[in-house]
Structures are given as structure tokens and as C-alpha cells.
Amino acid sequence: FCPHGRPVPCKSINQNILKTNPKVVDTIDVEDIADKAVFCRCWKSKNWPYCDGAHGAHNKETGDNVGPVVIKRKEK
Ligand code: FES
């Protein structure tokens, strides 16, 4: 069984984030991003929607190669 108690293979990518919501949607105002923001794409961050480095352990454990998306302002 998968971590959710469902028969394997589990098709759920999101295992812990806002599971009572029908859909996880995050809205960040561009004006609130200073020079750079780093967003999680592995669904393992404990600081969702931001990356906390958890992708490193996930990649090591699974052989995956996921990483964050970095939003930054162009240097002028
Ligand atoms: Fe998920 Fe970094 S913690 S991409």
C-alpha cells in the first residue's frame, strides 16, 4: 500500500500539502517578490509554496531529478 493506504501504485504526487482542498492553487503577487523567489515543484516542501531544499532528499531517495522554479528579476 502507498502512504495514503491505497493499493500500490499510488498515483498521487501531493502527499501532504492542503489535502483537504479539492485543488492546490497558490497566487503570489509579483510586487511581493523582492529580487528572487524559489518555488517548490517536488511537493515535499514544508514551506509550501516555497522550496525548502526537500527536493534533495527526495532525489536521493528516489533517483528523481526534480528541483524548484526560480523567479527572479533581470539584472539591469
Ligand atoms: Fe520542492 Fe525544493 S523543496 S523543489
Side-chain angles (χ1 to χ4, degrees):
F1 288 87
C2 77
H4 311 105
R6 300 182 190 125
V8 188
C10 181
K11 294 180 180 174
S12 177
I13 293 170
N14 178 14
Q15 297 181 4
N16 298 306
I17 299 167
L18 302 170
K19 290 302 284 184
T20 56
N21 290 19
K23 184 185 334 182
V24 179
V25 176
D26 297 289
T27 302
I28 310 292
D29 290 330
V30 172
E31 293 80 8
D32 291 342
I33 297 174
D35 293 329
K36 183 171 86 170
V38 183
F39 293 96
C40 177
R41 291 193 297 181
C42 75
W43 293 86
K44 305 289 184 189
S45 176
K46 289 188 171 31
N47 189 32
W48 185 267
Y50 301 100
C51 172
D52 70 354
H55 59 267
H58 166 79
N59 288 344
K60 191 172 183 180
E61 177 183 320
T62 65
D64 212 342
N65 65 346
V66 296
V69 61
V70 179
I71 309 290
K72 66 182 191 87
R73 295 188 186 280
K74 285 184 179 177
E75 293 182 27
K76 295 181 181 176

